[in-house]
Amino acid sequence: MQSGLFILINMCVAAFVGGITNHFAIKMLFHPRNEVKIFGRRLPFTPGLIPKRKQDIAKSLGEVVSQYLVTSEGLQEMLQKPAFRQKAVDTLSAKLNSLAESEDSVKDVLLGIWSEEEWEALKGKALQSARSAVNRSAVSMWAAYGLEEKPVKELVPGWSEDKRRQWSEQAAEMVLKELGDTLLSAEGQRMLRKMTHSMVDKAGGFLGTMAALFVDEDKLVQKLTPTLIGQLEGGRVHRTVADIIAAKLEQYGEMPLGALVQSLAGEPALELLLQKLEQVLPWEEWMARGEQVTIAEIVRPRLAALQEALPQWVDKGLGMASSAVPALVKSIRLPELVQEQVERFPVERLEQVILSVSGKEFRAITWLGVALGALIGLVQSSITILWLK
């Protein structure tokens, strides 16, 4: 009976020592967090193993990740797998279908990225950049083609004596027709009556008095109108006007474009061109209309073509990504990045992560210590009893 009690006590003591030893050994991986000093001397085994070797662990982990886990070859192999390619195609295809049904406007999407104030600022910069780009292009083309000094006749396609005469005839016909239509209009008739009245007033003397008494201005205008129309339709007036226009065309044709615009508009040609571009290009209106366009209106008409071209785009994109992987991995300096992140990681959080993953194993180690301690106590007690006998 005494031998059994002796063995039981030894087994319990040894089991307790084994369990508590393993428990503290596990705890000493993380505790204490900082070194402990007694009388100015550091207590051994402080801080715990992981806090003490955190930098070494971070460095080793960075090397392991970069050399064995996240490698250029591994990433390239993953990108080239058919399953990965198909998943990318399916994901993008689903996204396109979703966009084809989206009622969000372009502005709604942009406001999901930037705030109202940021978007307004970006829009202002975009409009200014567009204007500047157009102005720079205009100035560049103006200088590249030497438009300031180039004669007008060299800029007009088909410029020749025959063409100039043809244009003069057409212009004279248009001018005289427009003038005739104006004389026949109500405004033209009022103008003729005003001219007739002015002529009578300027006659003066006895003749002017008699004209004022007996001349009916309305009848005079009615008689003058057919005469003036007949003169305008006559060949002599037509030839005279055509000759004047032809002479002016010849004169203008020899003038440099810059000088011609300067003489007609009263300001430099390039400045006038830039002003006109500013007036005829409604940037704000285009931008406002573009903001209201829905994503569905953009994607839906092109959905079939986009879906058909999607596999090719994915292949090209994955090919480019695969080619860029070595340089990308090298540029991000993965070992240093992992090391920095691990060093920043709090030990408390690291302990929680490890215990959440390996808590059962650590408890099993503790109970294994209990079991081994009990076994050692049994063996030791048995040997002691046999020896004493």
Side-chain angles (χ1 to χ4, degrees):
M1 181 66 180
Q2 292 180 349
S3 298
L5 182 61
F6 176 73
I7 292 173
L8 179 61
I9 292 174
N10 277 349
M11 288 181 63
C12 290
V13 171
F16 176 77
V17 171
I20 201 69
T21 301
N22 282 7
H23 175 74
F24 278 111
I26 294 171
K27 287 293 183 182
M28 287 177 66
L29 292 173
F30 307 97
H31 299 274
R33 311 286 190 204
N34 303 302
E35 65 180 26
V36 178
K37 290 186 177 182
I38 299 178
F39 303 114
R41 299 179 64 85
R42 183 178 65 85
L43 193 67
F45 306 110
T46 64
L49 178 62
I50 291 178
K52 182 178 180 179
R53 304 296 299 275
K54 185 178 180 182
Q55 291 185 344
D56 297 333
I57 293 172
K59 183 177 179 180
S60 299
L61 188 58
E63 293 175 353
V64 169
V65 170
S66 63
Q67 293 177 9
Y68 300 102
L69 300 180
V70 184
T71 64
S72 300
E73 295 76 11
L75 292 174
Q76 287 176 320
E77 182 180 352
M78 180 192 70
L79 292 174
Q80 293 169 359
K81 286 182 178 179
F84 184 86
R85 172 190 177 277
Q86 188 59 46
K87 185 176 181 180
V89 171
D90 294 341
T91 301
L92 292 175
S93 178
K95 185 62 177 177
L96 284 175
N97 289 326
S98 175
L99 292 175
E101 301 299 327
S102 174
E103 295 301 323
D104 291 337
S105 66
V106 172
K107 186 175 182 179
D108 294 333
V109 174
L110 295 174
L111 290 181
I113 303 173
W114 298 292
S115 66
E116 184 78 32
E117 294 76 13
E118 291 173 334
W119 169 237
E120 289 298 326
L122 288 171
K123 185 167 64 173
K125 291 180 181 179
L127 291 172
Q128 184 60 39
S129 298
R131 290 190 180 96
S132 299
V134 171
N135 289 344
R136 286 196 301 270
S137 300
V139 171
S140 177
M141 291 180 61
W142 186 269
Y145 291 98
L147 298 179
E148 183 71 25
E149 301 298 331
K150 186 164 290 189
V152 175
K153 64 181 181 180
E154 295 183 14
L155 299 173
V156 179
W159 185 281
S160 64
E161 181 68 28
D162 293 338
K163 282 288 185 181
R164 194 167 64 249
R165 171 53 60 180
Q166 180 182 348
W167 296 335
S168 301
E169 295 286 342
Q170 293 173 351
E173 183 176 351
M174 292 173 59
V175 169
L176 294 176
K177 184 178 184 304
E178 186 65 28
L179 183 56
D181 293 341
T182 302
L183 289 176
L184 291 173
S185 66
E187 182 64 29
Q189 292 295 295
R190 284 195 297 270
M191 181 183 67
L192 288 177
R193 280 194 295 271
K194 186 176 180 180
M195 290 174 58
T196 303
H197 181 72
S198 177
M199 290 171 59
V200 171
D201 286 344
K202 290 180 179 179
F206 177 75
L207 182 59
T209 303
M210 295 300 292
L213 291 174
F214 297 104
V215 173
D216 187 339
E217 293 179 0
D218 290 336
K219 290 183 179 180
L220 183 58
V221 169
Q222 291 176 5
K223 291 182 179 181
L224 281 174
T225 301
T227 303
L228 292 174
I229 296 298
Q231 289 295 321
L232 292 177
E233 293 177 350
R236 184 176 179 181
V237 174
H238 181 86
R239 284 193 301 272
T240 302
V241 174
D243 290 342
I244 294 173
I245 295 175
K248 282 296 181 182
L249 285 177
E250 184 177 3
Q251 177 187 350
Y252 292 154
E254 298 295 334
M255 292 178 65
L257 178 60
L260 176 61
V261 175
Q262 177 79 36
S263 65
L264 296 177
E267 58 182 307
L270 184 56
E271 292 183 9
L272 181 63
L273 173 62
L274 297 179
Q275 292 175 11
K276 293 300 181 184
L277 284 176
E278 184 71 22
Q279 294 172 4
V280 301
L281 297 178
W283 296 107
E284 286 79 6
E285 180 183 346
W286 290 345
M287 179 66 75
R289 286 158 63 183
E291 287 180 326
Q292 301 307 316
V293 175
T294 64
I295 302 300
E297 290 176 333
I298 299 174
V299 176
R300 191 178 298 155
R302 305 169 181 83
L303 182 60
L306 292 173
Q307 294 281 20
E308 183 179 355
L310 189 58
Q312 298 178 359
W313 292 352
V314 170
D315 288 340
K316 290 181 180 179
L318 292 179
M320 294 173 61
S322 179
S323 301
V325 161
L328 180 62
V329 171
K330 185 177 180 180
S331 65
I332 63 175
R333 296 161 52 193
L334 190 60
E336 292 86 347
L337 180 62
V338 173
Q339 181 177 349
E340 291 175 2
Q341 295 300 317
V342 173
E343 288 176 350
R344 293 177 184 174
F345 204 69
V347 176
E348 296 84 354
R349 179 60 180 159
L350 183 61
E351 180 181 4
Q352 293 176 3
V353 171
I354 294 177
L355 291 178
S356 66
V357 175
S358 304
K360 292 182 179 180
E361 287 75 9
F362 284 160
R363 285 192 293 273
I365 292 173
T366 301
W367 286 108
L368 179 62
V370 171
L372 289 175
L375 180 61
I376 291 172
L378 174 62
V379 172
Q380 185 179 12
S381 300
S382 300
I383 293 174
T384 302
I385 292 172
L386 292 174
W387 180 265
L388 293 176
K389 287 182 179 182

